[in-house]
Amino acid sequence: NKPRPISGQDADDLYALNDSLLHTIFVYGAPVLLDSNLNPQLGLSRGIAATLHSFSFDENTPVEMIEAMRASINNTAPGEDVYLPLRPYTINVRVSPPPQLRDVWRSKFAGISLEDVGEDGVIVIPLHLKRYNKSQDFIHIQSHPGMWVKAWVEAHEFDLAFSLTYHKAQGKTMPKVILDLNRRPGRMQLTYESLYVGLSRP
C-alpha cells in the first residue's frame, strides 16, 4: 500500500503512543552523526561526528511564539524536558574539519553570517528537514496498543550518537562500548554478525 500523510488527531494519537520514537531530543553539546552527504568534497559526509549547537525557526514564525519558547527553556530546571510546540526550521551543529581540510574550511566558510569559524576551523552548519521515503528508511510505530505499522518520517539530517546501531558503528574505533542486547517489540532482533561488529569496535 502507498504511504499516506497523517495529521490532526491521528497524528496526536500516534505521538501519544510513540513518544520516544517520534520526538527528536535536543541537548546542547550532545554528540550526533550527520545523516546526509552535505558536501563530501569538504568532508561533510554521512557519518561525520558533530555536536548539537542551536536551532532556528522559519522567518515567518511569530516573534511572540519564539519568545514564549525561549522563556519556557530559560525557566526549566536542569534535567527537565521542554516540549516545543513548533518544529525548528534548522538544527545547527558544530563540526570539526579533518586535519587535511582545516585551511580549506577556514577559507571556504569565513565571512558567511551563519557559519562560526574558530581558530581550529570548527564551524556551525544548519541541518534541514529530510524526508525519509526510501523503502529501507521506515520505522516501526504503534498504530494502536500492541499493533505495529511501518512509518516514514521527516527529521533533521542527523542521528543522535548517545547510542548507535550496529550498522552505524561499522568501521568506527571506540575506546569502550556498552552493548544493548535486550529484545525490542517490532524491531529486528540481534544477529551474530551484528554482535561481532559491536564486540570488535574497541
Side-chain angles (χ1 to χ4, degrees):
N1 294 334
K2 184 177 180 180
R4 64 178 179 86
I6 297 176
S7 60
Q9 187 60 49
D10 288 340
D12 293 340
D13 292 342
L14 289 178
Y15 273 110
L17 284 169
N18 303 275
D19 181 71
S20 62
L21 291 174
L22 296 179
H23 280 106
T24 296
I25 298 174
F26 181 95
V27 179
Y28 176 78
V32 298
L33 299 176
L34 299 189
D35 194 34
S36 293
N37 292 316
L38 302 178
N39 192 325
Q41 291 75 22
L42 292 179
L44 296 173
S45 303
R46 186 172 185 173
I48 292 297
T51 57
L52 294 179
H53 176 271
S54 56
F55 49 84
S56 60
F57 293 94
D58 184 86
E59 61 183 7
N60 296 319
T61 304
V63 174
E64 304 79 34
M65 181 175 289
I66 294 177
E67 291 301 325
M69 289 186 284
R70 180 180 287 119
S72 178
I73 294 170
N74 291 338
N75 295 327
T76 300
E80 292 185 353
D81 294 331
V82 177
Y83 286 88
L84 300 182
L86 191 65
R87 183 170 56 185
Y89 180 63
T90 67
I91 290 182
N92 311 311
V93 298
R94 287 173 56 88
V95 189
S96 297
Q100 69 275 18
L101 293 174
R102 188 163 296 165
D103 290 337
V104 176
W105 279 34
R106 188 175 290 115
S107 62
K108 178 72 175 178
F109 293 106
I112 299 178
S113 58
L114 181 62
E115 276 68 8
D116 175 23
V117 184
E119 288 301 316
D120 56 359
V122 171
I123 64 168
V124 177
I125 59 174
L127 301 180
H128 294 83
L129 284 170
K130 174 181 178 182
R131 174 170 292 178
Y132 293 86
N133 52 16
K134 297 180 181 178
S135 59
Q136 71 271 23
D137 283 335
F138 66 84
I139 61 173
H140 281 104
I141 62 174
Q142 290 191 81
S143 59
H144 298 86
M147 296 180 61
W148 296 82
V149 296
K150 294 179 180 179
W152 285 259
V153 299
E154 287 186 344
H156 291 88
E157 301 167 300
F158 70 87
D159 289 322
L160 285 168
F162 293 115
S163 60
L164 302 175
T165 64
Y166 294 97
H167 177 74
K168 288 281 188 183
Q170 283 185 319
K172 297 186 180 300
T173 300
M174 304 173 181
K176 61 180 67 175
V177 296
I178 298 174
L179 303 183
D180 181 2
L181 305 179
N182 295 304
R183 297 178 64 87
R184 299 181 62 189
R187 299 278 180 162
M188 185 172 60
Q189 302 307 319
L190 184 65
T191 64
Y192 288 113
E193 293 81 4
S194 295
L195 182 60
Y196 173 78
V197 169
L199 292 173
S200 59
R201 291 312 90 202

